[in-house]
Amino acid sequence: MLEQLRIEVLEANLELVRRGLVLYTFGNASGVDRERGLCVIKPSGVPYEKMTPADLVVTDLDGKIVEGSLKPSSDLATHVLLYKRFPAIGGVVHTHSRHATAWAQACREIPCFGTTHADYFHGSVPCTPLLTREEIEGDYEHNTGEAIVRRFEGLDPLHFPGVLVAGHAPFAWGKTAAAAAFNAVVLEEIAAMALETVTIHSSAAPIPAAMMDKHFLRKHGPNASYGQK
Amino acid sequence: MLEQLRIEVLEANLELVRRGLVLYTFGNASGVDRERGLCVIKPSGVPYEKMTPADLVVTDLDGKIVEGSLKPSSDLATHVLLYKRFPAIGGVVHTHSRHATAWAQACREIPCFGTTHADYFHGSVPCTPLLTREEIEGDYEHNTGEAIVRRFEGLDPLHFPGVLVAGHAPFAWGKTAAAAAFNAVVLEEIAAMALETVTIHSSAAPIPAAMMDKHFLRKHGPNASYGQK
Amino acid sequence: MLEQLRIEVLEANLELVRRGLVLYTFGNASGVDRERGLCVIKPSGVPYEKMTPADLVVTDLDGKIVEGSLKPSSDLATHVLLYKRFPAIGGVVHTHSRHATAWAQACREIPCFGTTHADYFHGSVPCTPLLTREEIEGDYEHNTGEAIVRRFEGLDPLHFPGVLVAGHAPFAWGKTAAAAAFNAVVLEEIAAMALETVTIHSSAAPIPAAMMDKHFLRKHGPNASYGQK
Amino acid sequence: MLEQLRIEVLEANLELVRRGLVLYTFGNASGVDRERGLCVIKPSGVPYEKMTPADLVVTDLDGKIVEGSLKPSSDLATHVLLYKRFPAIGGVVHTHSRHATAWAQACREIPCFGTTHADYFHGSVPCTPLLTREEIEGDYEHNTGEAIVRRFEGLDPLHFPGVLVAGHAPFAWGKTAAAAAFNAVVLEEIAAMALETVTIHSSAAPIPAAMMDKHFLRKHGPNASYGQK
C-alpha cells in the first residue's frame, strides 16, 4: 500500500540523517496521499540504518493506524493536524536540529537577516507561544499542532514552510516529503546564520521588504526564475 | 571473565569516539556486573583503535584489580564509587566533550531550556561545587565521586543521568554501559543547544514544569509511550 | 568550445562543495576567457553531483548565452559586470557560506584581526551598503555588481579578493576560477575566526599596518617569498 | 640523511591535517636532531597530499639549508630560534587553527578554566605582546621567535607547550615532532572550550591552583600516573 510514498518518506527521513539534522532516532518525516486521505510516517524509536519502506506506518488523517505493525512516531498527531489544516502541503518534518532548536528554546522568531532566509521564508520564521499547562496535560501533540495553526492565521504555509515551537523544536513542511526535508535543512542553516549575525551585531536589522520580496519571488510563484523550469 | 560485559564496555567506549565526544585517549566508559560485584573499565591512555575486549581491566568495587595486565583508567575511583552509591546504574561514562565541559568550566548547571533536554533529564543538569583543596590533595578521584553523590542528595540518578563536575567535565550513566554512552551523547547535544540558547537570549527561561514532566514521562517510567516497547 | 575553461570552472564549483561552502545548489563559480570575451558559468539549480563540463553555460560579457542548453546561474549579471570592471580577475565565486554570510547579514566589514586575514586581504573585507529599493526592483543582479564596483573605488580587487554584499552574502574572485574558489574558502575561514575574536573580546583591534603589510606582501607582489616560486 | 626524522616530521604534518588544524598549505611542523644540530621542516606551500619525506628540508640551527631542493617553510627562522633557546624541545608546530587563532587575534591569554587545560598546560596559555613596527619590518620571523622566548622568561617550555603570538596564531612544541602536533591539537581544543566558557559566563574564573597542580602532575613529572608507563 502506498509503495511509492513509503519510498519517498523513507528517503526524506534519511536525508535528515545525511544532513546532520538528527541524533540517534530523534526527528521524523511523513508524507500524505491526498486522494486517499492517508499519511505515511516514520515508526517511533527505530534506528534509521535499519529502516525499510515496510517499517513505515500508514494512518488516516485522524491518526488511526491503517497499515503497519510498528508504533508510529509519537508526534503523529501534530503531523496529521497540519495535513488537515494546511491543504497545500504534502510532507511534514520534525527535528531537534541544533540551531533551529536553540531559537525555539529562546522563544524567538528568526528575523529575516538576509537573502538565504528570504529565498525560502517570506519574513521571520514564526514561533508559537509556549503551550499552556492545560494544552500540555491534555492532548499534547494535537495541541502542538493547534498552536502552530493558530500562529499561522493570515500566513500562507508555503510562504513560511516551517515554524519554531517555543521551548521545543522546529517543524518544517512542503509540497512533498522531499521538499519538507529540504526546508528543514534550509531552516537549520538560516538559524545558524542568524545566531552568528546577532553574535556579531546584537541589534542587527532585517533586510528591507523590497529585498525580501525580490528573493522570495525569484524562487517562488508565477515569476520564479531560479533553476531549470 | 565477564566476556559479554567486556564487549559491551568496549562498544560503549567506541561509541564515544564515533560520536566525536573524545579526543585522542580522553574519556572512559565502564560497566558493572552487580551479581559478582565487578567493574569492567577502559585501560589508561590506550588508543581506541587498538583496544580489544581483553585490554579492559576488571576490578572490584573498591577499585582493586581482579583481572587485566594494563592499568585501569585514572578515573576508576570515581566510577566504582558511583556504582556503590547509585545501585540502579549499570554503566558510567566520563568524557571531556567540548560543550558539556564548557558548562562545567563555567560552573553552571544547564537549565532545562527545551524538550530535547526534558526527554532525558528531569530538570537542570546538576553541577557539583568546586572541590576543596583538601579534597583535591587527598584521594582526588574518590572525592570527585563523593562530590557527585552529595550533589545528588534527593535526586534520582536515573532521572538525571549525568552531572557536570565544576572546573572539570561531565560524567554520565545509565542502566547499562550503552545507555551511559547514549546519555553522554545526549548531554553533549543539550549542552550545545543551551549554549546557543543563551547566546540568542541571555536571560532565556527554562520550560514550564508541565512541559518538563510531559516529555520526561513520555520516555521514562510506567507510562512511557516512546519507541516500540 | 572553451573545453579547458569548462573543466576549470567545474572544478572550482566542486571545490566549494568539498570545502563545505555550499548547501544543495547554493553558490556558483565562473571563469572568463579574456581573449574571446566569454564567460563560463554554472547552470542554475543543477545538483553538483551530476554536473559535467558540458552542463556549464557560455555567455558573452553582456550575459548573452553563446552556448549551452541550460539556464545560467541567476547571479550571472553580477559575474559579468565584475569581469568588465575588474580587468585583472579571471574567476568569480558566489556562495552563501555560513560565516561570511553572517558578517554580510550584520552589514559589517570584517576587520583585519590577524595574519591569516592579512595574508590574503590587505585590510578589512569590504562590505557594500544595502541596495536601495530602486536598485532591488530594477536590474537587481546587475545592480549588485554596481554596488560592489562602487565600494571598490580606490581599491585594487587583487588586494581585496572578495566582498560582502550587505544583507546577502559574499562574492570572491581571483586571477583564475581556482583562485576565486580558494579566496572564497579563505574568506569563510577568516570570517569564522573574526566571529570568535569578537566573541572573546568585543572591542578587539585590527593588527598594526606594518603587520598587515608584512604578511600581505610576503604572499603577494614582486617581493613575495611564500611557496616554491 | 635523517631518514627517520623526516618520516616523523612528515607524520606530524599529516596529523595536523587529519585533526582539521590546517587549511590548504597553512601550518608547518618540524623536528630537530640535537646531536647533529639539524632541523627537518616542511617545505613552503606544498600540498600535504603530495608531500613525501624527501620533500622536507634539512637546515642547521641558523636556518641555513643543508639538504633539500625545495624552499623551507617561511616560518623556519621562528622554529630554529625556538630549538636554540628551548633545549628540551624536539619538535615545533605552527598552525592557524581556528579557535587558538581567535584567542591570538583577541590578544588574550587562555585562562586555565578546567582540567582538560590543566592536563597539558600548567597555567594560562601565554600570549606574546604585539610585535613592534621595528620587529615586524626587521627580521620578522626571527623576531617572532624572540617575542616568544621573552614571554617565556621564568616559564618551563615543557610545562607550557605552546604560545599564542598576538595578532597572529599559535605555536606549539614538545619533546618530539609528534608531541608538538599532539600539543597543537590539545591547544586547539582548550581554546574552543574556553571560548564557549566565556560565552556562558563572561567572568568565569580559572580553576584553583591545587586542581591545576593535581591534573598537570598526574600526567607530567616524576609522579605521573596516567597511561601505561
Side-chain angles (χ1 to χ4, degrees):
Chain A
M1 196 175 179
L2 300 174
E3 189 55 29
Q4 182 54 34
L5 185 57
R6 284 173 179 276
I7 291 170
E8 286 171 32
V9 171
L10 177 58
E11 174 56 25
N13 276 289
L14 296 179
E15 174 71 356
L16 303 178
V17 179
R18 276 195 299 266
R19 298 288 172 172
L21 269 69
V22 298
L23 185 66
Y24 292 117
T25 62
F26 305 2
N28 42 70
S30 71
V32 71
D33 182 315
R34 289 284 177 190
E35 277 185 31
R36 308 188 199 188
L38 295 176
C39 167
V40 171
I41 192 165
K42 175 173 165 285
S44 181
V46 171
Y48 287 94
E49 311 84 67
K50 301 177 177 171
M51 210 179 290
T52 67
D55 291 332
L56 301 184
V57 184
V58 181
T59 75
D60 65 21
L61 293 194
D62 294 321
K64 214 184 119 211
I65 297 180
V66 172
E67 190 175 74
S69 53
L70 297 171
K71 277 173 55 184
S73 162
S74 55
D75 298 299
L76 171 65
T78 314
H79 288 243
V80 293
L81 187 73
L82 293 176
Y83 288 127
K84 277 189 176 169
R85 303 296 181 78
F86 296 165
I89 69 174
V92 170
V93 159
H94 172 51
T95 79
H96 288 212
S97 64
R98 185 179 294 174
H99 312 300
T101 299
W103 284 90
Q105 292 191 157
C107 301
R108 289 274 163 95
E109 316 230 324
I110 306 176
C112 183
F113 286 132
T115 61
T116 319
H117 182 129
D119 279 339
Y120 298 98
F121 282 79
H122 200 180
S124 295
V125 177
C127 184
T128 69
L130 282 165
L131 268 63
T132 63
R133 181 165 169 180
E134 289 66 35
E135 289 170 328
I136 293 164
E137 295 180 347
D139 191 350
Y140 173 65
E141 291 82 5
H142 175 88
N143 291 337
T144 297
E146 293 284 8
I148 295 171
V149 171
R150 274 200 309 276
R151 179 64 190 78
F152 269 70
E153 265 171 42
L155 296 181
D156 178 341
L158 290 181
H159 287 198
F160 296 83
V163 70
L164 306 173
V165 177
H168 185 170
F171 282 79
W173 48 75
K175 289 184 183 168
T176 61
F182 177 91
N183 287 327
V185 174
V186 168
L187 173 52
E188 179 65 358
E189 184 64 29
I190 64 182
M193 286 175 172
L195 173 73
E196 297 195 356
T197 302
V198 296
T199 299
I200 295 165
H201 184 8
S202 60
S203 55
I207 54 174
M211 202 160 174
M212 221 177 317
D213 291 349
K214 179 74 192 181
H215 271 264
F216 188 77
L217 301 172
R218 212 164 68 146
K219 295 223 178 187
H220 304 272
N223 298 314
S225 63
Y226 184 82
Q228 298 298 330
K229 319 138 224 180
Chain B
M1 196 174 177
L2 300 174
E3 190 55 30
Q4 182 55 34
L5 186 57
R6 284 173 180 275
I7 291 170
E8 286 171 32
V9 171
L10 176 58
E11 175 56 24
N13 276 289
L14 296 179
E15 175 71 356
L16 303 178
V17 179
R18 276 194 299 268
R19 299 288 172 171
L21 268 70
V22 297
L23 184 67
Y24 291 117
T25 62
F26 304 2
N28 42 70
S30 71
V32 72
D33 181 316
R34 289 286 178 190
E35 277 186 33
R36 307 188 199 187
L38 296 176
C39 166
V40 171
I41 192 164
K42 175 174 166 284
S44 181
V46 171
Y48 288 94
E49 311 84 67
K50 302 178 178 170
M51 211 179 290
T52 68
D55 291 333
L56 300 185
V57 184
V58 181
T59 76
D60 64 21
L61 294 195
D62 293 321
K64 213 186 119 211
I65 296 181
V66 171
E67 190 176 75
S69 54
L70 296 172
K71 277 173 55 184
S73 162
S74 55
D75 298 299
L76 170 66
T78 314
H79 288 244
V80 294
L81 188 74
L82 293 176
Y83 288 128
K84 277 189 177 169
R85 303 295 182 79
F86 296 164
I89 69 174
V92 170
V93 160
H94 172 52
T95 79
H96 288 212
S97 64
R98 186 179 294 176
H99 312 300
T101 299
W103 284 90
Q105 293 192 157
C107 302
R108 289 274 163 95
E109 315 229 324
I110 306 176
C112 183
F113 286 133
T115 62
T116 319
H117 183 129
D119 279 339
Y120 299 99
F121 283 78
H122 200 180
S124 296
V125 177
C127 184
T128 68
L130 282 165
L131 267 64
T132 63
R133 182 166 168 181
E134 287 67 33
E135 290 170 326
I136 293 164
E137 295 180 346
D139 191 351
Y140 174 64
E141 291 82 5
H142 176 87
N143 292 336
T144 297
E146 292 284 8
I148 294 171
V149 171
R150 273 199 310 276
R151 179 64 190 79
F152 269 70
E153 265 171 42
L155 295 181
D156 179 340
L158 290 181
H159 287 198
F160 296 84
V163 70
L164 306 173
V165 177
H168 185 169
F171 282 80
W173 48 75
K175 289 184 185 169
T176 62
F182 177 91
N183 287 327
V185 174
V186 169
L187 173 53
E188 179 64 358
E189 184 63 29
I190 65 181
M193 286 176 173
L195 173 73
E196 297 196 358
T197 302
V198 297
T199 300
I200 295 165
H201 184 8
S202 59
S203 55
I207 55 175
M211 202 159 173
M212 222 176 315
D213 291 348
K214 179 75 191 180
H215 270 263
F216 189 77
L217 301 172
R218 213 164 68 148
K219 296 222 178 187
H220 305 273
N223 298 313
S225 63
Y226 184 82
Q228 297 299 329
K229 317 138 229 183
Chain C
M1 196 174 178
L2 300 174
E3 189 54 28
Q4 182 55 34
L5 185 58
R6 285 173 179 276
I7 290 170
E8 287 171 32
V9 171
L10 176 58
E11 175 56 24
N13 276 289
L14 296 180
E15 174 71 355
L16 302 178
V17 179
R18 276 195 300 267
R19 299 287 172 171
L21 268 70
V22 298
L23 184 67
Y24 292 116
T25 62
F26 305 2
N28 42 70
S30 70
V32 71
D33 181 316
R34 289 284 176 192
E35 277 186 33
R36 308 188 199 189
L38 295 176
C39 167
V40 171
I41 192 165
K42 175 173 165 284
S44 180
V46 171
Y48 288 95
E49 312 83 67
K50 302 178 178 170
M51 210 178 292
T52 68
D55 291 333
L56 300 184
V57 184
V58 181
T59 75
D60 65 20
L61 294 194
D62 295 320
K64 213 184 122 212
I65 297 181
V66 171
E67 189 175 75
S69 53
L70 296 171
K71 277 174 53 183
S73 163
S74 55
D75 298 298
L76 170 65
T78 313
H79 288 244
V80 294
L81 188 73
L82 293 176
Y83 288 127
K84 277 189 177 169
R85 302 295 180 81
F86 296 164
I89 69 174
V92 170
V93 159
H94 172 51
T95 78
H96 288 212
S97 63
R98 186 179 293 174
H99 312 299
T101 299
W103 284 90
Q105 293 192 157
C107 302
R108 289 273 164 97
E109 316 230 323
I110 305 177
C112 183
F113 285 132
T115 61
T116 320
H117 183 129
D119 279 339
Y120 298 99
F121 282 79
H122 200 180
S124 295
V125 177
C127 184
T128 69
L130 282 165
L131 268 64
T132 63
R133 182 167 169 179
E134 289 66 35
E135 289 170 327
I136 293 164
E137 295 179 347
D139 191 349
Y140 173 65
E141 291 82 5
H142 176 87
N143 292 336
T144 296
E146 292 284 8
I148 295 171
V149 171
R150 273 199 310 275
R151 179 64 191 78
F152 269 70
E153 266 171 41
L155 296 181
D156 178 341
L158 290 181
H159 287 197
F160 296 84
V163 71
L164 306 173
V165 177
H168 186 169
F171 282 80
W173 47 76
K175 289 184 184 169
T176 61
F182 177 91
N183 288 326
V185 174
V186 169
L187 173 53
E188 179 63 359
E189 184 63 29
I190 64 182
M193 286 176 173
L195 174 72
E196 297 196 357
T197 302
V198 296
T199 300
I200 295 165
H201 184 9
S202 60
S203 55
I207 54 175
M211 202 160 175
M212 222 177 316
D213 291 348
K214 180 75 191 178
H215 271 264
F216 189 77
L217 301 173
R218 211 164 69 146
K219 295 222 179 188
H220 304 273
N223 299 313
S225 63
Y226 184 81
Q228 297 298 329
K229 318 139 228 181
Chain D
M1 195 173 178
L2 300 175
E3 190 55 30
Q4 182 55 35
L5 185 58
R6 285 172 179 276
I7 291 170
E8 286 171 32
V9 171
L10 177 58
E11 175 55 24
N13 276 289
L14 296 179
E15 174 71 355
L16 303 178
V17 179
R18 277 194 299 268
R19 299 287 172 172
L21 268 70
V22 297
L23 185 67
Y24 292 117
T25 62
F26 305 2
N28 43 69
S30 70
V32 72
D33 181 315
R34 288 285 176 190
E35 277 186 34
R36 308 189 199 189
L38 295 177
C39 166
V40 171
I41 193 165
K42 176 174 167 282
S44 181
V46 171
Y48 288 95
E49 312 83 67
K50 301 179 178 169
M51 210 179 291
T52 69
D55 292 333
L56 301 184
V57 183
V58 181
T59 76
D60 64 21
L61 293 194
D62 294 320
K64 213 185 120 211
I65 296 181
V66 170
E67 188 175 76
S69 53
L70 296 172
K71 276 174 56 184
S73 163
S74 55
D75 298 298
L76 170 66
T78 314
H79 288 244
V80 293
L81 188 72
L82 293 176
Y83 288 127
K84 277 189 176 169
R85 303 295 180 81
F86 297 165
I89 69 175
V92 170
V93 159
H94 172 51
T95 79
H96 288 210
S97 64
R98 186 180 292 175
H99 312 300
T101 299
W103 284 90
Q105 292 192 157
C107 302
R108 288 273 163 97
E109 315 229 323
I110 306 177
C112 183
F113 286 132
T115 61
T116 320
H117 183 128
D119 279 340
Y120 298 99
F121 281 79
H122 200 180
S124 296
V125 178
C127 184
T128 69
L130 282 165
L131 268 63
T132 63
R133 182 166 168 181
E134 288 66 35
E135 288 170 328
I136 294 164
E137 295 180 347
D139 191 350
Y140 174 65
E141 291 82 5
H142 175 88
N143 292 337
T144 297
E146 292 284 8
I148 294 171
V149 171
R150 274 199 309 274
R151 180 64 191 78
F152 269 70
E153 266 172 41
L155 296 181
D156 178 341
L158 290 181
H159 288 199
F160 296 85
V163 70
L164 306 173
V165 177
H168 186 169
F171 281 80
W173 48 75
K175 289 184 184 169
T176 61
F182 177 92
N183 287 326
V185 173
V186 169
L187 173 53
E188 179 64 358
E189 184 63 29
I190 65 181
M193 286 176 173
L195 173 73
E196 296 196 358
T197 302
V198 297
T199 300
I200 294 165
H201 184 9
S202 60
S203 55
I207 55 174
M211 201 159 175
M212 222 176 316
D213 291 348
K214 179 75 192 180
H215 270 264
F216 189 77
L217 301 173
R218 213 164 68 147
K219 295 222 178 187
H220 305 272
N223 299 313
S225 63
Y226 184 82
Q228 298 298 328
K229 316 139 231 182

